[in-house]
Amino acid sequence: MKLLYAEDEAAMAEAVTDVLTYHHYLVDYVANGEEALAYARAGDYDGIILDVMLPRLDGMTVLETLRQAGDHTPVLLLTAKGAVEDRIRGLDLGADDYLVKPFAMGELLARIRAMLRRREDYTPTVLSFGDLCLDQGTYRLSCGEQGETLPRMEYRLMEVLLRNQGIFLSSEDLLVKVWGYDAEVEVGTVWVHLSALRKRLTALGSHVALKAKRGVGYTLEVRE
Ligand code: CA
C-alpha cells in the first residue's frame, strides 16, 4: 500500500514515516501543500494523510483541488485540537476521515487501515486471470473484445474464484464464500452456477477453464 504523507513539522513527520514504514507501507513524504498536490496528481496512491496546516497551500485547498479534479483517493485529514470547523469543512470537501493532533500512533494506524478497507469496498476494480477480466463495478466478464454482464450470484462466484487463484475450493467452501453461512442453499445450487460459468467461459472463447479435482474442489486454470 502506497501512501502520501504531507506534514511540515519535521520531527513529527519523521516519527510517523518511521512507524508507517515499519508497518510495511510505502510512504512518500512532502513538507508543503504545493508538493502534496503535485505528488497526489502524479502518483498512484492508495491513501493520503494530509495535515491541514501546511505552508504554501493549506491542506483544505489541496483536498478541494483534488476532489474538484475527480480524484477520489481516500484522504485522512490531520487537524488541530479544537478546530471543529476544520473537521466539518474537511468532511464536506470530501475527506474520508480526520484525526485530531496530537494522536497516538496506534490510532493513526487504525484510521489508515479503516480508510484503505473502505477503498477496497467501494472502489470498483478489475480482477484478471489469463485472458479474463472481471469488472467489479459493472459485473462485466470479458475476454478480449467479447464480454457480458454476469447475473449477481454468477458474478460473486467468479469473483471468489478470481480472488483465490491457484487454490482449490470445495463446493462447501464456495457455498459459504458466495452465498454466506446463513444461506438456505443446497450444494446443488453451487454446481448449477459452476456449470453456467463453465459454459460462459467456453462461449467467450477464453483460455481460462474451470478445473475440477475429485474430492478436492475447483479452481481456475489457463489452458494452452
Ligand atoms: Ca502543520
Side-chain angles (χ1 to χ4, degrees):
M1 287 288 182
K2 198 171 153 199
L3 300 173
L4 176 63
Y5 173 39
E7 169 64 70
D8 58 317
E9 291 154 58
M12 162 116 176
E14 200 180 323
V16 169
T17 304
D18 281 352
V19 169
L20 293 177
T21 306
Y22 177 79
H23 284 87
H24 309 295
Y25 292 104
L26 292 172
V27 185
D28 280 344
Y29 157 64
V30 293
N32 66 67
E34 270 176 18
E35 276 195 332
L37 191 57
Y39 272 70
R41 280 174 164 164
D44 185 16
Y45 294 100
D46 297 298
I48 301 173
I49 306 157
L50 189 59
D51 187 25
V52 171
M53 300 286 280
L54 286 173
R56 291 205 229 161
L57 210 58
D58 69 272
M60 291 294 182
T61 309
V62 173
L63 172 63
E64 190 172 17
T65 310
L66 286 174
R67 292 297 186 250
Q68 279 175 355
D71 187 326
H72 296 296
T73 308
V75 170
L76 174 65
L77 280 183
L78 304 180
T79 68
K81 200 175 173 184
V84 178
E85 65 281 2
D86 267 5
R87 282 163 235 163
I88 297 166
R89 184 154 169 254
L91 295 173
D92 281 347
L93 286 178
D96 295 74
D97 200 359
Y98 64 84
L99 192 54
V100 178
K101 288 170 139 184
F103 48 80
M105 288 297 182
E107 174 78 11
L108 175 67
L109 289 167
R111 297 297 182 100
I112 291 171
R113 280 195 299 272
M115 176 172 85
L116 297 176
R117 238 186 344 258
R118 279 196 297 274
R119 173 190 163 91
E120 282 171 7
D121 288 348
Y122 292 121
T123 310
T125 48
V126 175
L127 296 172
S128 61
F129 180 69
D131 54 12
L132 282 183
C133 288
L134 183 68
D135 190 312
Q136 295 182 282
T138 61
Y139 289 13
R140 185 178 163 84
L141 179 69
S142 56
C143 172
E145 299 284 289
Q146 298 261 52
E148 45 189 330
T149 304
L150 299 185
R152 208 171 90 85
M153 296 324 286
E154 227 176 289
Y155 164 79
R156 285 280 303 135
L157 180 60
M158 193 64 199
E159 187 184 32
V160 166
L161 289 166
L162 284 168
R163 284 188 182 283
N164 291 277
Q165 292 172 17
I167 299 168
F168 280 93
L169 297 171
S170 69
S171 310
E172 290 74 20
D173 291 336
L174 290 169
L175 180 64
V176 170
K177 284 178 189 290
V178 175
W179 281 267
Y181 279 104
D182 303 327
E184 291 179 13
V185 170
E186 303 280 315
V187 79
T189 307
V190 179
W191 298 334
V192 169
H193 282 78
L194 284 169
S195 164
L197 211 49
R198 182 173 277 135
K199 282 183 191 139
R200 216 177 277 278
L201 294 176
T202 308
L204 284 173
S206 173
H207 291 295
V208 175
L210 190 60
K211 185 176 182 178
K213 207 182 235 179
R214 192 178 287 272
V216 181
Y218 303 86
T219 193
L220 294 173
E221 69 167 359
V222 180
R223 283 180 311 197
E224 294 311 314

